[in-house]
Amino acid sequence: LKSKCSYKTYECYSNALKHLEVLHSMNIEDITAEKLQAVLDDMADKKYSFSAISKAKIFFGIVFKYAVLKKGFNAVNFLDAVKIPSTATKGSVHSPDDETILRIIKTAHSIDFGGFGASLYYLGVRRGELLALQKADVNLERRIIIIDKAVEFIGNQPHIKTTKSKAGERILPIT
């Protein structure tokens, strides 16, 4: 698995696998919707985030699909019957208020890496995408910035990779 996906995807799957540890000793045909639901409910009781619980469910779905397609396991997919508990904590993302935006603009030049933060904000790019920018990606004549790669850190080592998806490849106007 490690060689067939990106480092971050592998890391995500590894974390999901840890949550499903209680199912490791079971044969796949012995795992029921009720047993998987109990695992997800337990995660919610332990205050895991909605995202972590959802990823565990998705990962189990991948394992289940693999068992059906590659190993000939014959069963009905019961994942639709398994629900993310309503008690799972959901984080929220808020846009900064006008005062915060002004503070970023005014202090960006005087703070180490302040320009980096301001660039992230103004360009609307991910950290890895900004770190991967090269001179050839900026065309001042056409007034565009091409986003088509990102830096991924494996351990402390940076590696250039393609964007997360084709939709992540984009051309930004310089205004």
Side-chain angles (χ1 to χ4, degrees):
L1 176 67
K2 195 171 193 174
S3 65
K4 295 186 183 209
C5 61
S6 76
Y7 176 78
K8 288 289 185 188
T9 301
Y10 177 78
E11 197 174 64
C12 177
Y13 287 165
S14 295
N15 287 333
L17 188 59
K18 288 176 195 167
H19 297 303
L20 298 171
E21 205 168 86
V22 68
L23 304 175
H24 289 196
S25 62
M26 302 174 85
N27 290 324
I28 195 149
E29 60 268 8
D30 296 331
I31 299 172
T32 63
E34 292 79 18
K35 289 177 182 171
L36 182 57
Q37 186 67 60
V39 170
L40 302 185
D41 290 344
D42 184 58
M43 288 177 71
D45 292 344
K46 292 177 179 172
K47 304 295 183 212
Y48 281 100
S49 69
F50 181 92
S51 176
I53 297 169
S54 180
K55 287 174 185 169
K57 180 182 174 185
I58 290 167
F59 180 73
F60 182 79
I62 292 167
V63 171
F64 187 86
K65 196 177 286 188
Y66 178 83
V68 170
L69 296 174
K70 301 288 186 181
K71 300 297 182 183
F73 175 62
N74 189 12
V76 175
N77 188 342
F78 56 77
L79 284 176
D80 289 340
V82 178
K83 304 295 179 202
I84 306 296
S86 60
T87 56
T89 57
K90 286 187 180 181
S92 59
V93 178
H94 303 284
S95 297
D97 58 30
D98 291 343
E99 183 182 326
T100 303
I101 292 169
L102 286 173
R103 199 168 56 244
I104 291 169
I105 294 167
K106 287 179 182 177
T107 59
H109 69 281
S110 64
I111 300 173
D112 288 342
F113 301 109
F116 185 78
S119 297
L120 288 171
Y121 178 75
Y122 280 114
L123 294 173
V125 296
R126 295 176 180 91
R127 174 187 67 155
E129 293 169 340
L130 186 58
L131 289 171
L133 276 181
Q134 298 171 349
K135 189 175 182 177
D137 298 323
V138 179
N139 186 325
L140 294 176
E141 193 173 290
R142 291 180 55 208
R143 301 186 58 78
I144 60 170
I145 299 171
I146 299 168
I147 305 294
D148 62 356
K149 58 191 154 303
V151 171
E152 172 182 58
F153 287 90
I154 301 175
N156 287 328
Q157 299 301 310
H159 299 272
I160 300 286
K161 66 175 190 129
T162 58
T163 55
K164 287 177 88 169
S165 66
K166 278 289 185 198
E169 294 179 11
R170 56 208 186 276
I171 296 174
L172 306 175
I174 299 174
T175 56

